[in-house]
Amino acid sequence: MAPVAIGAVLLLPTSWLMLPSAVVFLLALWEWLRLAEVEDTLARSILLACNLALMVALVWGSRSQHAGALPLFQVAVVLGVAWWLLSLLWLRHYDFAARHDGNARMFKLAAGTAAIVPAWCALALIHASQPSGHRWLLLALLLVWAADTGAYFTGRRFGGQWFGGRRLAPRISPNKTWEGVVGGVVLAMLVAVLGALVIGAHAAQLPGIALVAAITVLFAVAGDLFESLLKRHAGLKDSGTLIPGHGGVLDRMDSVLAALPVFALGKIWLGF
């Protein structure tokens, strides 16, 4: 699927990219609703339609002569980053909303909208930015992929050696290590600097870009852990079965959902 995603990011204009990306993000939300234990198909369809209506409203409300402005998208991105900061508290308190009741379901439904819609808005904002927005979006995705690779190999080689055997989140994801996080952050920062130079960033911008990359990866880890938390609460191994042999769409996108709003906000704030 990677060549298709890369081709779409590099070749499609933003308005056209937003359409297939909305489909993918809504498929991930469909699986999120399953993890929130909304079993009734009609109820899930109505909730999905409500989120689609919110996306359409954001597009409608952001119309302006400047195609890349998207003011409501910027607001959504800020709210998305705020949500992921709040999610850190949820991750710390594992049992919050763990019961199989209506209150827990409402929290998880709200979390789904707060994760999916801002990430989609961030994708559009990054891609629409000038110049070379399509390349910056590809770099944002590469950071997540590089972080996964660096975390895997560093965790396998050095797991349990640098931090006294402490695991990252043993109750949520026992195999994740702090050593893996360090390896993922380092490789992502290297990819960010090299990628920014290829795109055309100035040398003075590189420290800021590396910092944004590091923070982006840390939030990506939080996104991965949060989906693992939802799956443990629901007693499920995979979010879905839409990708044969690889679980669901949400399993492939959990890190991206948290990473995109952070990268977009950092890009806007630092102006690269």
Side-chain angles (χ1 to χ4, degrees), residues 85-124:
L85 284 170
L86 188 62
S87 75
L88 299 178
L89 290 175
W90 195 332
L91 290 172
R92 186 172 180 81
H93 299 280
Y94 174 89
D95 292 322
F96 179 76
R99 297 177 60 185
H100 307 283
D101 58 21
N103 289 333
R105 191 173 298 114
M106 289 301 297
F107 280 115
K108 291 173 182 177
L109 293 179
T113 298
I116 297 293
V117 175
W120 178 72
C121 291
L123 179 145

Side-chain angles (χ1 to χ4, degrees), residues 151-213:
Y152 176 77
F153 285 104
T154 307
R156 294 268 296 185
R157 175 63 180 82
F158 301 105
Q161 299 181 25
W162 298 346
F163 295 90
R166 292 178 58 192
R167 295 284 169 171
L168 178 62
R171 198 172 181 187
I172 299 173
S173 187
N175 293 328
K176 286 186 172 56
T177 64
W178 283 105
E179 291 82 0
V181 173
V182 172
V185 168
V186 170
L187 183 57
M189 291 175 71
L190 178 61
V191 169
V193 170
L194 294 176
L197 288 173
V198 171
I199 292 173
H202 302 298
Q205 296 175 307
L206 296 182
I209 293 172
L211 177 61
V212 169

Side-chain angles (χ1 to χ4, degrees), residues 9-193:
V9 168
L10 293 179
L11 300 177
L12 293 178
T14 302
S15 57
W16 283 100
L17 179 64
M18 290 170 68
L19 292 174
S21 63
V23 172
V24 174
F25 277 70
L26 288 172
L27 286 174
L29 180 60
W30 179 263
E31 295 178 348
W32 188 299
L33 297 176
R34 175 172 175 255
L35 297 183
E37 300 181 75
V38 181
E39 302 294 343
D40 183 68
T41 302
L42 178 59
R44 288 166 72 181
S45 300
I46 292 173
L47 290 168
L48 200 73
C50 290
N51 282 270
L52 174 60
L54 177 57
M55 289 176 168
V56 173
L58 287 168
V59 173
W60 184 268
S62 292
R63 292 177 305 159
S64 69
Q65 294 182 347
H66 180 38
L70 300 173
L72 292 182
F73 279 47
Q74 297 181 31
V75 174
V77 164
V78 173
L79 293 176
V81 173
W83 147 245
W84 285 111
L85 284 170
L86 188 62
S87 75
L88 299 178
L89 290 175
W90 195 332
L91 290 172
R92 186 172 180 81
H93 299 280
Y94 174 89
D95 292 322
F96 179 76
R99 297 177 60 185
H100 307 283
D101 58 21
N103 289 333
R105 191 173 298 114
M106 289 301 297
F107 280 115
K108 291 173 182 177
L109 293 179
T113 298
I116 297 293
V117 175
W120 178 72
C121 291
L123 179 145
L125 273 179
I126 298 169
H127 196 269
S129 63
Q130 297 295 331
S132 303
H134 57 297
R135 294 182 180 179
W136 284 111
L137 177 58
L138 178 59
L139 180 58
L141 297 176
L142 287 175
L143 293 182
V144 177
W145 299 338
D148 285 343
T149 302
Y152 176 77
F153 285 104
T154 307
R156 294 268 296 185
R157 175 63 180 82
F158 301 105
Q161 299 181 25
W162 298 346
F163 295 90
R166 292 178 58 192
R167 295 284 169 171
L168 178 62
R171 198 172 181 187
I172 299 173
S173 187
N175 293 328
K176 286 186 172 56
T177 64
W178 283 105
E179 291 82 0
V181 173
V182 172
V185 168
V186 170
L187 183 57
M189 291 175 71
L190 178 61
V191 169
V193 170

